[in-house]
Amino acid sequence: MGIHTTLVINPKGGSGKTTVAINLASYFAAQGLRTAILDYDPQGSSLNWLNLRSASQNPIVAANAAPSKTGLRTMRMHIPPETQQLVIDAPAGASGFVLQEMLSRTHCILLPVAPSAIDIHATANFIRDLLLTGRIRARNIRLGVVANKVRSSMPTYAPLERFLKSLNFPIVGRLSDSDAYLEAAETGVGIFEMEPSRGAGERAQFVPIIEWVGGPLKKEEKVVALRPGDGKLPSGLQASIPGILRKVWQPRPPAS
């Protein structure tokens, strides 16, 4: 069957990449799937989380792809051939060879984005750059966005949603700004491994992400292609990025 690989990436730090990566991996492991995390981030947050896990928990293989002065990076990156689900935790600002290396084995991309104008700007630019490389289209890689750290008191993701809709990319999930994710990260568990009375709401929020990662490519999710070296979006979409970058969220009007 081969390895299915999910790349969790965003150009900015603090977007929630590790939160998405560890909870996705722990879900797969809890389902009895042979799972691995490949951590490219020099901070090693996913690897630190794996080190906190006890021997009695669902096994997840740890692989370290962060730059190393020892020259043993290839050995540390080894993924067992029997692995069924591989989750890549990407570093902030990934580009060049590292980005291409990650994309070369990726089947789908999850882009967590936090609710700030700066994060929207960075995410829109990053999606544009990904499309311009041409690799997403060539490999038929799916891309979905996860709205992270959502709070009821915060403005909506409307500008980002309009931009994504113009490119037929979905927001596949919305994760609340919850202490349950912090607790999971600090104790080496995933939200799907918590007691039934803890994290029920967070598990419900995460289910659409899991379904999207494991689901087939739908027609409405087809990637809008950019020609490599073209430097611009397809006709009619060129204005989308500059327009979205100028927009700032407006608070929701008070309930009447």
Side-chain angles (χ1 to χ4, degrees), residues 152-196:
S152 58
S153 60
M154 280 187 167
T156 68
Y157 279 75
L160 180 62
E161 291 187 45
R162 286 194 294 269
F163 169 67
L164 294 172
K165 186 176 181 181
S166 72
L167 298 175
N168 293 322
F169 289 143
I171 288 185
V172 299
R174 300 169 190 270
L175 305 182
S176 62
D177 189 12
S178 167
D179 290 341
Y181 294 112
L182 180 61
E183 178 184 331
E186 292 179 343
T187 56
V189 302
I191 56 172
F192 291 94
E193 298 171 313
M194 289 179 164
E195 293 295 325

Side-chain angles (χ1 to χ4, degrees), residues 1-2 23 52 84-85 90-91 97 99 103 106 121 131 143-144 160 166 177 194 197 199 207 210 212 216 227 252 256:
M1 177 174 148
N23 285 292
L52 294 172
Q84 295 170 284
Q85 291 287 345
F97 171 77
L99 177 59
L103 290 175
T106 294
H121 297 178
L131 293 176
L143 187 151
L160 180 62
S166 72
D177 189 12
M194 289 179 164
S197 60
V207 166
I210 294 165
W212 182 84
R227 295 188 295 275
R252 287 196 184 107
S256 55

Side-chain angles (χ1 to χ4, degrees), residues 104-163:
S104 69
R105 66 197 309 168
T106 294
H107 297 95
C108 64
I109 296 172
L110 286 174
L111 261 162
V113 55
S116 76
I118 293 174
D119 284 82
I120 278 191
H121 297 178
T123 300
N125 276 325
F126 185 66
I127 291 173
R128 177 201 61 194
D129 293 343
L130 282 176
L131 293 176
L132 288 171
T133 67
R135 188 178 286 269
I136 287 184
R137 182 191 178 207
R139 288 181 50 81
N140 202 27
I141 300 172
R142 297 184 299 143
L143 187 151
V145 170
V146 177
N148 195 31
K149 302 179 182 178
V150 176
R151 288 187 289 182
S152 58
S153 60
M154 280 187 167
T156 68
Y157 279 75
L160 180 62
E161 291 187 45
R162 286 194 294 269
F163 169 67

Side-chain angles (χ1 to χ4, degrees), residues 16-34:
K17 294 186 297 293
T18 299
T19 295
V20 173
I22 62 177
N23 285 292
L24 186 62
S26 66
Y27 171 81
F28 289 141
Q31 300 308 303
L33 297 172
R34 292 182 287 275

